[in-house]
Amino acid sequence: MKKITIAIDGHSSCGKSTMAKDLARRIGYVYVDTGAMYRAVTLFALRNELFNEDGSVKTEELEPRMSEIAISFKFNPETQKPDTYLNGELVEKEIRSLEVSNHVSPIAAVPFVRTAMVAQQQAMGQEGGIVMDGRDIGTTVFPNAELKVFVTASAEVRAQRRYDELVSKGMPEPFEEILKNVQERDYIDSHREVSPLRQAEDAILLDNSNLTIPEQNEWLYNEYLKVVGEE
């Protein structure tokens, strides 16, 4: 059976990564969390004081240092999920913090950052057999992907999911701050000049506001079966 490319785009905290990881594990594909890549760049920028006081990026200082940023993924047998590494350091927990969440959209809007990340992502998916999620996978990274899905849910539902996730990791934050972050990221992601968040014309829309995780995972698996059955 031919291995295809599966692109899953959508808003922040809408469950893209959860369903993408499940599908990849189920069908034996490689999973790539592109959001984690931008979060890793954000963590690097925070650690090196590459943000101005107003939250904007010090682009002139960051650009020459992009060559210092190496992002990789390693499968964690305990969690059955890939962990994110920044220059060889495990940063999976650090990149999920609210501080990184509050700074990732400005980083992701920087053209040279997107160019670097897209090049890495395209290289990862050259042979197919990959499930990748993010903001511009079906529109910019893999416009010819055989299966494209655009996922959304209400801002309140997504904020609650993010809140529950942080609590489970022992990193609780006020719900109101998380909701504000979700809404601000929606605006920035949808209005940036380079690769704005939008649904590809040939993407299937999924509003999972009222779906359980098993329900959304089964929905995606069935969509995959429809595509490979046509190969």
Side-chain angles (χ1 to χ4, degrees), residues 10-142:
H11 295 94
S12 65
S13 303
C14 65
K16 301 185 302 297
S17 297
T18 298
M19 60 195 300
K21 290 173 187 174
D22 179 83
L23 180 65
R25 185 167 56 246
R26 189 169 183 176
I27 64 179
Y29 276 26
V30 174
Y31 165 71
V32 177
D33 179 357
T34 62
M37 297 174 72
Y38 289 102
R39 284 176 172 271
V41 177
T42 303
L43 181 63
F44 177 89
L46 285 167
R47 288 177 169 179
N48 289 278
E49 300 181 350
L50 298 176
F51 285 96
N52 295 303
E53 290 187 8
D54 63 358
S56 60
V57 184
K58 297 179 180 178
T59 53
E60 291 185 1
E61 294 181 32
L62 174 60
E63 186 167 15
R65 302 195 64 179
M66 288 298 295
S67 60
E68 300 175 29
I69 302 174
I71 301 166
S72 58
F73 297 94
K74 295 180 183 178
F75 185 74
N76 185 327
E78 291 185 9
T79 63
Q80 292 292 298
K81 298 175 182 177
D83 284 336
T84 309
Y85 286 75
L86 172 61
N87 296 329
E89 175 194 354
L90 175 61
V91 293
E92 188 63 34
K93 183 175 181 179
E94 289 82 353
I95 65 171
R96 306 299 173 183
S97 69
L98 188 58
E99 182 182 23
V100 169
S101 294
N102 284 332
H103 289 84
V104 67
S105 287
I107 283 286
V110 177
F112 63 77
V113 173
R114 296 208 71 83
T115 297
M117 295 300 103
V118 167
Q120 289 190 36
Q121 293 154 15
Q122 290 174 331
M124 293 175 186
Q126 284 182 340
E127 304 301 321
I130 194 165
V131 183
M132 193 174 290
D133 73 270
R135 300 290 193 280
D136 62 348
I137 311 306
T139 54
T140 301
V141 183
F142 295 121

Side-chain angles (χ1 to χ4, degrees), residues 4 7 22 65 73 79 100 106 108 111 129 144 164 174 176 189 214 230:
I4 66 171
D22 179 83
R65 302 195 64 179
F73 297 94
T79 63
V100 169
N144 297 317
D164 293 341
E176 293 76 14
D189 292 344
E230 295 171 1

Side-chain angles (χ1 to χ4, degrees), residues 190-230:
S190 300
H191 289 79
R192 65 181 178 227
E193 290 186 18
V194 180
S195 299
L197 171 64
R198 63 180 178 83
Q199 181 181 343
E201 292 183 3
D202 53 347
I204 306 166
L205 178 65
L206 172 65
D207 185 332
N208 65 6
S209 297
N210 299 310
L211 293 181
T212 64
I213 290 177
E215 286 172 341
Q216 72 172 17
N217 290 348
E218 198 63 26
W219 178 91
L220 180 59
Y221 180 64
N222 287 330
E223 293 300 323
Y224 159 76
L225 291 179
K226 292 177 186 178
V227 173
V228 295
E230 295 171 1

